[in-house]
Amino acid sequence: MLNDNPELSENSYDRLKFAVWEITLKCNLACGHCGSRAGEKRPDELSTGEALNLVHQMADLGITDIALIGGEAYLRPDWLEIAREITRCGMRANVTTGGYGVSQETARRMKEAGIHNVSVSVDGMAKTHNRLRGKIDSWQQCFRSIEHLRNAGLNVGCNTQINKLTAPELPMLYQKLVDAGAKAWQIQLTVPMGNAADNHEILLQPFELLDLYPLLAYLSKRGRQDDFMIQPGNNIGYFGPYERLLRSPLASSPKYAFWRGCNAGLGTIGIEADGKIKACPSLPSDQYTGGNIRYRSLHDIYHHSKELRFNDVQDEEQATAHLWGDCATCEYKKICRAGCNWTAHVFFAKRGNNPYCHHRAIKKAVRGRMETFVMRKAASGLPFDHGEFELTEQQVQPMNPLDERYFSLQRTQFPQAWLDTEPDLVDKLLLEKSLNMIQYVKAGIVPVEESPWFDKEKLQAIKDGIPLST
């Protein structure tokens, strides 16, 4: 059950390490998938004095790493003063940037301020990235910024949102990032928050994960050869055939290379530019703000606000009480707890049922079923807002793999050098997709009698688009 004893509560939070701090909402891009709808600064962002005081409070709380984000962090005039104070207090300052206009001089000053890691957001190849980011030269600017940052001696990684537009270009982008000297690549599925809720047609449908994950696994294995670490975001998962492969770069030990539940409020906190504190920076502000450092100390908010403690549950029944839909009956529910709470909430206005699960998509497909979602309620237009979607299950439909409305391995673009070495690469990945489904039957995860793929008449009916009798 939830810890109500303040002393016990404080002791239970001994894993806190990270804070993600939106220091301004001001941004010089206009991204069509931006969850915070960044653009103009918030009207009441923290003053320099308030920000520096917050740095000290984070140090006292035991935080070790702080990621400065926006908007665009460097558009806040005192951002390097904040970074220097983070460093002076013994914490590590990192930055996530859209990479638009980071000059060589700015990169040098970042290094002098003690900034350690910089993650540059790159979403697809040039045409796709420029479309998503809202400026025709933003892709070119990204790679110029990466060059400047590396020249300054900073550790440079990249992050990418995966959706219908970017997914077919992942191998091409992989090679471009490696050639640019990036050392790490965080990947995350785009979800319907903020601007992405308005542009929800770019979101992958759950059944498209069947083609995506063999590709991600291939890229992850290739990354080990190229000294290029691919890091799965919190909504990449869960418990499918590639779970350990994908999570091993982030695991403290190989035996822990699997999803172990949402870490919001346990290992991380999120901070908004006006002082609001959340368990995770991506969670909707209205439902998950635990307090504001202008009115309460960070220590008090962190240890005593229920909005930051929903994951601090010791009893297994209580820990899974919020689950519904397929997640409520899943064999991994006690440890997974429906994966990323942010993802579930922005789809359905409540957490507890996550449509972006590879394990679930395979089980559905083996049974000849698939899930799709449609929007039923639009988002309000505020930062970190979301709409509401309806999830439906239906019989697998015959689809043209070259249909541009859907992601498929057949539509994926690969560097020619890769195909010269592995001319049958796409066929291998398609075979792997099929073998994943067969393995679920062989392992007894889905009984063979529940799968139409092993019945000639049912298989032909699916191919012909004829509904199966239930």
Side-chain angles (χ1 to χ4, degrees), residues 337-350:
R337 303 185 187 185
C340 172
N341 284 301
W342 163 56
T343 298
H345 193 110
V346 297
F347 269 109
F348 307 121
K350 61 179 179 178

Side-chain angles (χ1 to χ4, degrees), residues 182-415:
K183 292 300 181 183
W185 188 22
Q186 185 187 59
I187 52 176
Q188 185 102 327
L189 297 173
T190 304
V191 301
M193 171 173 268
N195 291 341
D198 301 341
N199 300 306
H200 56 88
E201 68 279 356
I202 72 172
L203 303 178
L204 291 173
Q205 290 286 348
F207 65 84
E208 292 172 281
L209 301 182
L210 298 171
D211 279 51
L212 176 66
Y213 274 84
L215 176 62
L216 296 185
Y218 174 82
L219 296 177
S220 184
K221 287 183 280 190
R222 193 176 187 100
R224 286 158 168 76
Q225 301 171 6
D226 293 333
D227 192 25
F228 184 50
M229 182 186 295
I230 297 182
Q231 303 169 324
N234 290 332
N235 64 9
I236 298 293
Y238 306 92
F239 295 97
Y242 310 114
E243 179 71 13
R244 289 191 179 275
L245 169 69
L246 294 173
R247 296 219 176 270
S248 59
L250 300 178
S252 57
S253 166
K255 66 181 180 179
Y256 295 129
F258 56 91
W259 174 258
R260 291 183 286 156
C262 175
N263 208 27
L266 298 176
T268 109
I269 59 170
I271 306 168
E272 295 186 3
D274 56 3
K276 291 196 291 287
I277 307 297
K278 302 186 292 187
C280 165
S282 300
L283 287 168
S285 303
D286 287 347
Q287 297 93 339
Y288 291 95
T289 295
N292 192 304
I293 59 101
R294 283 183 166 136
Y295 313 112
R296 296 169 59 192
S297 72
L298 181 61
H299 182 280
D300 181 39
I301 295 170
Y302 181 65
H303 287 300
H304 302 114
S305 294
K306 62 181 176 59
E307 291 87 356
L308 273 75
R309 298 169 59 213
F310 58 86
N311 279 325
D312 182 30
V313 183
Q314 311 302 318
D315 179 78
E316 287 185 351
E317 283 193 24
Q318 292 294 322
T320 57
H322 68 291
L323 301 183
W324 58 281
D326 279 64
C327 289
T329 58
C330 179
E331 60 270 35
Y332 295 111
K333 69 177 183 178
K334 290 182 180 180
I335 189 165
C336 183
R337 303 185 187 185
C340 172
N341 284 301
W342 163 56
T343 298
H345 193 110
V346 297
F347 269 109
F348 307 121
K350 61 179 179 178
R351 62 194 184 100
N353 187 22
N354 195 324
Y356 278 164
C357 173
H358 188 216
H359 175 62
R360 171 167 158 176
I362 294 177
K363 287 196 296 183
K364 297 285 186 190
V366 173
R367 291 184 167 97
R369 310 293 291 174
M370 58 187 278
E371 288 183 309
T372 58
F373 52 76
V374 294
M375 175 173 270
R376 294 304 184 201
K377 181 180 178 182
S380 64
L382 298 173
F384 295 104
D385 64 344
H386 58 86
E388 194 167 340
F389 289 75
E390 180 183 351
L391 188 66
T392 60
E393 182 179 319
Q394 62 195 71
Q395 181 175 302
V396 169
Q397 301 295 312
M399 293 181 182
N400 179 357
L402 300 181
D403 189 332
E404 294 185 358
R405 293 175 299 172
Y406 306 107
F407 167 71
S408 69
L409 286 166
Q410 291 93 326
R411 289 186 54 243
T412 302
Q413 304 164 32
F414 291 89

